[in-house]
Amino acid sequence: MKTLETLFSRSAKMMKASEIRELLKLTRQPEIISFAGGLPNPDAFPVGNIKKMVDHVMERHARDALQYGTTEGHNKLRAAIVHGMKQIDDVTTDIHNIIITTGSQEALYLLSKVLLDPGDTVLTAAPTYIGATSTFLAHQANIECIPIDENGIRVDLLEGELERMSRRKKLPKFLYLVPSFQNPTGVTIPPDHRSKIYDLVCQYDLLLVEDNPYGLLCYDGDRVLPIKAQDTEDRVLFLGTFSKILAPGFRVAWSCGPAELVNKMSLAKQAVDLCSNTFGQYVVYEAIHHNLLFPHVDVIKRLYKEKRDAMLDAMERYFPKEAKWNIPQGGLFIWVRLPYSINTKDMFPRAVANNVAYVVGQAFYPDGSGSNTMRLNFSHSTNEQIEEGIKRLGMVINDQLHKEGLEPEFITSV
Ligand SMILES: Cc1ncc(COP(=O)(O)O)c(C=O)c1O
């Protein structure tokens, strides 16, 4: 038999485990305090209420809930999402504009499948969510990036880039953004910038993919409405998920967008998994119907706000003055910038040797920049782990600074 290597497709041959993901495997040892994952805290899972909903589904709906479902998803759940998007996000939509997916990650795959030919361009922010860019790359897209600052994607640079791309007749297939409490930086695009972005999307006749897993996890100030709320031209594909507000184990998420696009995604989904987890969709629907979900979001917000504050407080005490970070108003992450001459990938073994881990920021830059940055997750660790882990990380950064004999120096804006 030929070696398997010769049998792999061209796209499979291009799939490589990233060096940074390999590094993260080192962090699975129990003695390591890891701020690397993006996991919800298991204490935030409403175990008792989910059990009640599971029992309810088994008693009342077992014959349907254990069966294959339609590819678009459980209709009652789709209708509840239509209702919820109006109530919560001021988005007017219809059941035909909603498809349930196996996590938003599948939605990213499906939209890539139906929109991207090899060599097509996707425009996004740098840094951005690595799960999205890996999917775009797996579809052989060319990724162009606009830097971000404390207000998210630099709208002035976006405008200039679109103008240049339009002149060269090389506009992107779509713009991909995580406007609220972005993964990895925690940064949120303010309302006036959202309007400007939407105007640009209309002006250049683009599709916008608005990925919004963290929008409801707002700890300070007023929550900003999604860009989808102003989508009068039906050109925003909004991705929502129950992963961070209920439990990721259900793998239940939704996309809300132009019916034609949603229909194509549904055709593509038939070849991927036929339908999303029917049982999970029933349980999620019953949690909404019994009004258990939204009160629970308040519980999660209280828990994560406390953890964010504990991490920020520990960083103030233990990190050297050369380290800079933002105060995210929501989400799961704090973004740290160190002097340019510190490479967080080179520093990583030192962190692991001191039993603490982070994600190397470079992973989130499609162009490989950001070598002086790191992402810290605050949702998953206990408060004691946060205190101890930040203390260790502060020592590691200090050691690295002194080892290199670095002078304090200019630091990037976000
Ligand atoms: C920005 C972003 N999009 C999508 C996802 C995927 O979420 P899920 O597939 O669990 O819905 C994540 C997960 O962390 C994320 O951070």
Side-chain angles (χ1 to χ4, degrees):
M1 191 187 155
K2 300 177 224 167
T3 64
L4 277 175
E5 180 62 28
T6 64
L7 299 179
F8 285 139
S9 65
R10 269 195 294 278
S11 62
K13 279 184 190 137
M14 284 171 51
M15 293 173 190
K16 296 254 161 21
S18 88
E19 197 186 343
I20 287 161
R21 276 185 196 264
E22 291 301 299
L23 282 180
L24 288 179
K25 285 191 188 154
L26 299 174
T27 69
R28 298 210 188 113
Q29 297 140 29
E31 61 280 14
I32 292 191
I33 297 176
S34 177
F35 303 128
L39 304 183
N41 196 303
D43 290 346
F45 300 150
V47 177
N49 280 337
I50 289 178
K51 184 174 182 315
K52 279 189 204 145
M53 294 304 101
V54 167
D55 290 346
H56 177 89
V57 169
M58 288 310 282
E59 280 158 22
R60 307 267 183 96
H61 307 289
R63 292 171 70 87
D64 292 323
L66 297 176
Q67 188 55 278
Y68 286 111
T70 56
T71 309
E72 295 77 14
H74 180 29
N75 276 341
K76 283 189 173 170
L77 178 61
R78 291 165 81 206
I81 288 168
V82 169
H83 181 73
M85 289 196 67
K86 183 72 204 164
Q87 299 290 306
I88 294 163
D89 286 332
D90 200 21
V91 172
T92 306
T93 187
D94 183 86
I95 190 167
H96 302 296
N97 300 92
I98 307 281
I99 179 173
I100 307 294
T101 58
T102 302
S104 286
Q105 194 60 42
E106 186 192 35
L108 290 165
Y109 178 85
L110 296 175
L111 71 92
S112 300
K113 186 87 195 155
V114 303
L115 293 171
L116 295 175
D117 287 314
D120 280 347
T121 297
V122 176
L123 189 57
T124 188
T128 194
Y129 173 52
I130 186 176
T133 49
S134 327
T135 310
F136 305 152
L137 288 173
H139 288 83
Q140 299 174 49
N142 160 45
I143 300 179
E144 297 288 340
C145 297
I146 308 285
I148 72 173
D149 64 13
E150 65 282 2
N151 290 321
I153 189 164
R154 288 270 308 270
V155 177
D156 53 337
L157 300 182
L158 174 66
E159 186 167 12
E161 183 59 28
L162 286 173
E163 210 261 317
R164 254 188 309 282
M165 287 176 145
S166 164
R167 243 186 296 120
R168 283 189 269 128
K169 301 206 176 345
K170 288 232 156 94
L171 280 165
K173 272 285 173 82
F174 56 85
L175 172 64
Y176 168 78
L177 294 175
V178 185
S180 294
F181 318 126
Q182 193 225 26
N183 182 0
T185 61
V187 163
T188 291
I189 303 176
D192 54 334
H193 286 220
R194 290 181 186 226
S195 302
K196 180 75 192 156
I197 291 169
Y198 188 67
D199 289 347
L200 287 170
V201 163
C202 294
Q203 181 185 338
Y204 288 100
D205 194 19
L206 297 179
L207 176 74
L208 169 67
V209 177
E210 178 175 31
D211 192 0
N212 190 45
Y214 309 107
L216 292 184
L217 301 183
C218 173
Y219 316 133
D220 306 317
D222 292 335
R223 200 168 58 80
V224 183
L225 289 180
I227 302 177
K228 181 71 186 164
Q230 32 184 310
D231 187 19
T232 47
E233 296 197 1
D234 201 19
R235 52 173 72 249
V236 179
L237 181 71
F238 174 98
L239 310 185
T241 177
F242 294 99
S243 287
K244 304 301 191 308
I245 54 173
L246 190 61
F250 287 120
R251 308 307 297 131
V252 176
W254 73 97
S255 304
C256 168
E260 209 181 332
L261 175 56
V262 165
N263 288 341
K264 273 281 185 225
M265 288 169 67
S266 176
L267 288 177
K269 184 173 164 68
Q270 282 172 18
V272 177
D273 59 0
L274 300 176
C275 65
S276 297
N277 171 0
T278 319
F279 187 72
Q281 293 182 66
Y282 269 77
V283 175
V284 171
Y285 167 71
E286 293 300 338
I288 298 172
H289 182 64
H290 287 83
N291 195 27
L292 299 175
L293 182 64
F294 296 108
H296 181 65
V297 172
D298 290 334
V299 175
I300 301 179
K301 280 163 58 175
R302 274 197 295 280
L303 180 72
Y304 290 178
K305 180 179 164 64
E306 189 189 307
K307 289 185 183 297
R308 177 203 61 177
D309 292 345
M311 187 170 273
L312 288 169
D313 179 62
M315 288 165 80
E316 283 293 342
R317 282 180 286 119
Y318 296 120
F319 276 16
K321 66 180 187 320
E322 289 84 355
K324 306 286 173 206
W325 57 90
N326 57 324
I327 299 178
Q329 287 176 291
L332 308 188
F333 307 109
I334 298 174
W335 186 244
V336 182
R337 290 154 285 129
L338 299 174
Y340 274 128
S341 35
I342 289 200
N343 181 317
T344 54
K345 190 156 70 172
D346 294 346
M347 188 174 77
F348 195 79
R350 186 178 285 219
V352 171
N354 284 276
N355 288 333
V356 64
Y358 52 83
V359 186
V360 172
Q362 224 179 342
F364 304 100
Y365 287 84
D367 64 0
S369 59
S371 60
N372 60 321
T373 60
M374 63 168 88
R375 187 192 76 178
L376 301 179
N377 165 268
F378 55 79
S379 59
H380 188 253
S381 306
T382 63
N383 291 4
E384 295 68 35
Q385 286 170 326
I386 290 176
E387 172 73 17
E388 180 57 29
I390 292 295
K391 187 174 173 183
R392 291 179 195 169
L393 191 52
M395 268 164 36
V396 168
I397 298 172
N398 256 317
D399 284 357
Q400 192 80 3
L401 275 169
H402 294 123
K403 174 186 144 253
E404 309 294 355
L406 299 174
E407 295 297 324
E409 55 184 308
F410 177 71
I411 298 186
T412 44
S413 64
V414 165

